[in-house]
Amino acid sequence: MKQPSAFVDRMLYILLVPAMFVSLYLIFIWSPIEKQMGASQKIFYFHVSTAWVAFLAFFVVGYYCVLTLKKPTESRFIKAGISAEIGVVFTTITLLTGMIWGKSAWNTWWTWEPRLVTVLILLFIYIAYLFVRKMEGTWEKIAKLSAVFGIIGCINVPIVFMAIRWWNTKLHPVVFGEGKNQSGGGVEPDMLVTLLFCIGTITLLYLFMMRKGIEIEKMRLTVRKAKSKVIEKLAS
């Protein structure tokens, strides 16, 4: 009889693989080509999907960091750390795809636009969070100290989302809903279908990576504890 966790992992894998192929089909074949930017616009689907899932990952970090401040446990500490690592990867991809988009749309790789700046700050906060987790000290102290960074980063996520609305930038488009003085508010129905499917696919990827990351980290922790016990026995 299969363990429930193994069954969930298998189901995620079965859903994820075909979803990736369908996403690629929708992006490069089914969805229409944007009139102004042409085929280069299709990076938009990767850019937005990874951005939204990065936000999800950081909200998960914030949730487990709040719980860690109340009562530190190894499980909460591990889940927050794995989600942060995945979020940092997705945020990096978001920035890179955004730079490629910017070169095509704005004729520049980078501009100090509010959305880009706040995303960069968000990335730095969680990189700092991951470094704090590696500091020397008691486990409970490191868990609580890093939790503060995780919560601060989570609070920054809504600021990133609202940046182009609060500062009324004319560069970065508003994808969901129209904003005042925004260019490119909303998307065409066919493009929206593709975008939503891609977001769902990347979300499945996040869940799969999250579960595997937690499993690997728990195995590392078990090995580390076993080594410590062996060293203690040899020393005594």
Side-chain angles (χ1 to χ4, degrees):
M1 185 176 179
K2 295 181 179 180
Q3 296 180 353
S5 59
F7 174 77
V8 173
D9 290 341
R10 184 173 179 81
M11 290 304 299
L12 283 173
Y13 182 77
I14 291 173
L15 291 172
L16 179 60
V17 172
M20 284 184 168
F21 284 104
V22 173
S23 293
L24 293 175
Y25 170 79
L26 292 175
I27 292 171
F28 294 108
I29 299 176
W30 187 78
S31 62
I33 297 177
E34 208 270 335
K35 294 181 180 179
Q36 294 182 349
M37 293 186 61
S40 62
Q41 176 270 344
K42 292 182 180 291
I43 201 170
F44 151 87
Y45 300 109
F46 299 100
H47 176 67
V48 177
S49 298
T50 54
W52 275 87
V53 177
F55 291 167
L56 170 63
F58 293 144
F59 275 124
V60 172
V61 176
Y63 171 75
Y64 283 112
C65 284
V66 170
L67 295 180
T68 297
L69 284 179
K70 292 181 178 179
K71 184 181 180 182
T73 65
E74 288 182 350
S75 178
R76 293 170 179 175
F77 186 67
I78 290 173
K79 290 176 181 177
I82 297 301
S83 191
E85 290 175 359
I86 298 172
V88 166
V89 172
F90 282 156
T91 304
T92 302
I93 295 173
T94 299
L95 283 173
L96 292 175
T97 53
M99 290 171 66
I100 298 172
W101 167 284
K103 183 61 177 177
S104 300
W106 310 331
N107 197 32
T108 181
W109 292 104
W110 182 267
T111 180
W112 295 101
E113 185 258 354
R115 171 64 64 81
L116 297 180
V117 174
T118 51
V119 170
L120 186 61
I121 293 172
L122 182 68
L123 178 62
F124 286 156
I125 290 174
Y126 277 103
I127 289 176
Y129 167 79
L130 293 176
F131 274 109
V132 171
R133 290 173 59 93
K134 302 297 183 180
M135 291 174 59
E136 296 292 334
T138 61
W139 177 83
E140 290 81 3
K141 182 179 179 180
I142 298 301
K144 289 186 177 182
L145 179 60
S146 62
V148 174
F149 278 82
I151 294 171
I152 292 173
C154 184
I155 293 173
N156 192 44
V157 171
I159 298 176
V160 174
F161 179 77
M162 295 300 297
I164 54 178
R165 293 167 174 82
W166 288 346
W167 283 282
N168 288 328
T169 176
K170 295 182 180 180
L171 286 177
H172 208 290
V174 176
V175 177
F176 296 103
E178 297 184 0
K180 183 180 178 182
N181 298 328
Q182 308 301 328
S183 61
V187 294
E188 293 297 324
D190 291 346
M191 293 182 177
L192 182 60
V193 170
T194 301
L195 176 60
L196 293 177
F197 193 90
C198 289
I199 290 174
T201 300
I202 301 299
T203 302
L204 283 175
L205 178 61
Y206 164 75
L207 294 174
F208 185 78
M209 292 174 67
M210 183 74 174
R211 291 182 62 85
K212 286 300 179 182
I214 293 171
E215 181 182 342
I216 292 171
E217 191 60 30
K218 286 183 176 179
M219 291 173 62
R220 287 178 179 173
L221 186 61
T222 301
V223 171
R224 197 178 301 122
K225 288 181 177 179
K227 286 183 177 179
S228 298
K229 290 181 179 179
V230 170
I231 292 173
E232 288 177 1
K233 286 183 179 180
L234 292 175
S236 60

